[in-house]
Amino acid sequence: MTWVRLAVLLLTVTLADLGGACGLGGLGGAPGQARADDIAAYRVTDPNASFFAREGALASAANRRFGAPARPVRSAERPCPRDRIAEPIAGVVRVPAFYRDPAGWRRASRPLFAFEAQATGFAADYARSGDPAYARCLVELLGHWAARGALLAFDYEADHGQAWFAVQWSTASAGLAYSVVRAAPSLADADKRAVEAWLAAVATHQTGYPGTSVTCCNNHLYWRGLEAAIVGVVADDDRLFQYGIRAFRAALEAMRPDGSLPRETARGARALHYQNFAVLPLVFLAEVAARQGYDLYGLAVEGRDLHLAVRFLLRALDDPAALRRYTAEAQDLGFVERRAELNWLEPYHRRFPSVGTARWLARLRPLSHAWTGGPATLYFAESETAGDRARPTPPNRPPAASRAPAQSAAAP
């Protein structure tokens, strides 16, 4: 079966029951649910919108302070020779569990890491330079993976599901990168359609697995939500976008009154790490929604919102003893020194600046993480425009339905 036929099958059969198949339990009454009338209000309003204000980043001081010069391409006619395009994984994606076999995990993940780095690199070079050659490079890369049907088949083992996780991260990375260039006028419509159909097929297939009693509903749900939301945007697919909204609401419903997330703080010495690893996709999911006109930052479930989770995390980063009520183990702070997983600080600080976020950014900049679109410092630092200051439309008052024409932290 060709990947095109598989894509059609997935999009017509799996997507019809997306909510029930992805660990969210449909639109009924299980934990993490929203009412059907809430979710149906969220629609893709601008498929060309990215996850940041492109017009602000292109002219911002952040480009001068933190953005390295764009890498030169060989020629406008053929900017991406085959030896510069990351080769897709042939056949089934197989990745051993990170905590059981970290060396094997790194070996198996190298092709995916190369793909993610190249996708986000081309997008960043386009954002820095405005040169359409970089947009074509990115679409050529994604088109190459699409033509091979990459990421559509993966080894799924319920006891670790590592390949399933890997596909969610690579798809989120690709979707976020593609959103940066989708509006580039030099791109051929046929090439864009092929990329978008592939991304939608991969996201639909990947989110179609329910996971375990843990991975159904922990940080991996939020990562699947980010994956689905951004692919829903670029593919103009409301059902995928709505999956992302459901995942975001599930986080608020699972949250304790102090902002901690139970499935993350149950991780012993890695409790702080995983609280951060859950906040990371949630902030970027809120940014994706904001570009469609929805204020997930302002969404609350029984008084619990994303700000509550961020405040808990910031307190614990300053004093890990804040986690003692949930774990007696000393916290592993290696993720702080690695910096990348604090990429969420840039978009959050741009909207909600504080002494606490500013202090961490002064220590950690520049920040970049491929699974959340790459160099957030480039895209968000000092790039605020007048439009950023306007509150997005609240979720209960969606914009008019004007549609554009057509791990380290790698374990549950």
Side-chain angles (χ1 to χ4, degrees):
M1 177 181 290
T2 66
W3 80 265
V4 175
R5 291 176 60 198
L6 179 58
V8 172
L9 177 63
L10 288 167
L11 289 170
T12 56
V13 178
T14 308
L15 198 54
D17 191 32
L18 183 64
C22 58
L24 294 177
L27 293 172
Q33 301 282 316
R35 296 190 310 275
D37 58 344
D38 291 332
I39 295 300
Y42 292 87
R43 311 292 291 272
V44 176
T45 59
D46 183 3
N48 278 326
S50 189
F51 60 101
F52 67 97
R54 282 175 301 212
E55 67 282 2
L58 286 170
S60 74
N63 279 298
R64 296 190 296 274
R65 290 180 59 203
F66 301 112
R71 296 162 294 182
V73 293
R74 294 191 185 178
S75 72
E77 295 75 28
R78 182 63 178 166
C80 307
R82 184 59 61 202
D83 62 2
R84 290 192 62 194
I85 294 296
E87 280 298 312
I89 294 177
V92 178
V93 179
R94 302 183 190 280
V95 184
F98 173 76
Y99 289 121
R100 286 188 207 160
D101 183 7
W105 172 80
R106 289 186 183 89
R107 284 194 300 272
S109 299
R110 280 174 191 152
L112 297 170
F113 293 161
F115 169 68
E116 295 156 5
Q118 194 164 74
T120 55
F122 283 141
D125 284 342
Y126 176 70
R128 291 184 185 103
S129 68
D131 187 339
Y134 293 112
R136 292 195 296 271
C137 285
L138 176 54
V139 170
E140 183 173 340
L141 168 67
L142 300 182
H144 183 46
W145 281 59
R148 297 282 294 273
L151 308 181
L152 280 164
F154 49 84
D155 180 33
Y156 179 80
E157 297 182 33
D159 65 338
H160 68 77
Q162 196 73 58
W164 182 47
F165 308 155
V167 169
Q168 92 197 344
W169 291 318
S170 289
T171 310
S173 181
L176 291 163
Y178 180 64
S179 76
V180 178
V181 309
R182 188 184 191 273
S186 63
L187 300 177
D189 288 342
D191 294 340
K192 291 166 62 175
R193 284 194 297 269
V195 166
E196 290 158 17
W198 169 68
L199 287 172
V202 174
T204 299
H205 184 49
Q206 198 280 333
T207 56
Y209 282 71
T212 67
S213 60
V214 175
T215 58
C216 73
C217 313
N218 70 345
N219 66 82
H220 288 292
L221 172 59
Y222 317 147
W223 283 104
R224 294 195 300 276
L226 176 59
E227 167 199 19
I230 192 59
V231 173
V233 167
V234 298
D236 199 6
D237 188 312
D238 290 336
R239 283 185 174 267
L240 282 170
F241 183 64
Q242 290 163 4
Y243 181 108
I245 305 303
R246 285 199 298 273
F248 189 93
R249 288 191 61 117
L252 304 186
E253 295 190 6
M255 194 182 298
R256 297 187 184 100
D258 65 357
S260 62
L261 292 160
R263 288 182 174 86
E264 315 310 329
T265 55
R267 298 301 296 271
R270 299 187 183 96
L272 179 55
H273 178 185
Y274 279 99
Q275 176 80 11
N276 182 83
F277 198 59
V279 165
L280 176 59
L282 291 172
V283 169
F284 279 86
L285 211 167
E287 289 297 322
V288 171
R291 300 298 164 198
Q292 299 302 310
Y294 303 102
D295 183 15
L296 295 189
Y297 287 113
L299 179 64
V301 173
E302 297 181 357
R304 301 186 298 274
D305 59 17
L306 181 54
H307 302 297
L308 196 65
V310 169
R311 287 195 294 271
F312 178 87
L313 174 56
L314 288 171
R315 286 196 304 272
L317 284 168
D318 287 336
D319 180 11
L323 284 155
R324 282 180 184 160
R325 65 186 300 183
Y326 304 121
T327 177
E329 296 185 53
Q331 291 301 294
D332 179 355
L333 300 179
F335 74 98
V336 176
E337 298 310 314
R338 290 188 295 271
R339 301 188 308 169
E341 291 172 8
L342 286 128
N343 211 33
W344 64 269
L345 281 163
E346 292 287 14
Y348 191 83
H349 180 76
R350 190 207 62 225
R351 290 188 184 274
F352 310 103
S354 70
V355 172
T357 52
R359 186 175 69 251
W360 281 103
L361 285 169
R363 170 181 169 184
L364 298 171
R365 275 176 172 161
L367 287 168
S368 182
H369 193 296
W371 299 344
T372 51
T377 300
L378 169 68
Y379 294 145
F380 293 99
E382 300 182 16
S383 65
E384 187 177 68
T385 66
D388 288 317
R389 296 184 182 276
R391 277 182 73 84
T393 305
N396 60 348
R397 291 191 289 109
S402 58
R403 304 294 293 276
Q407 137 177 29
S408 64

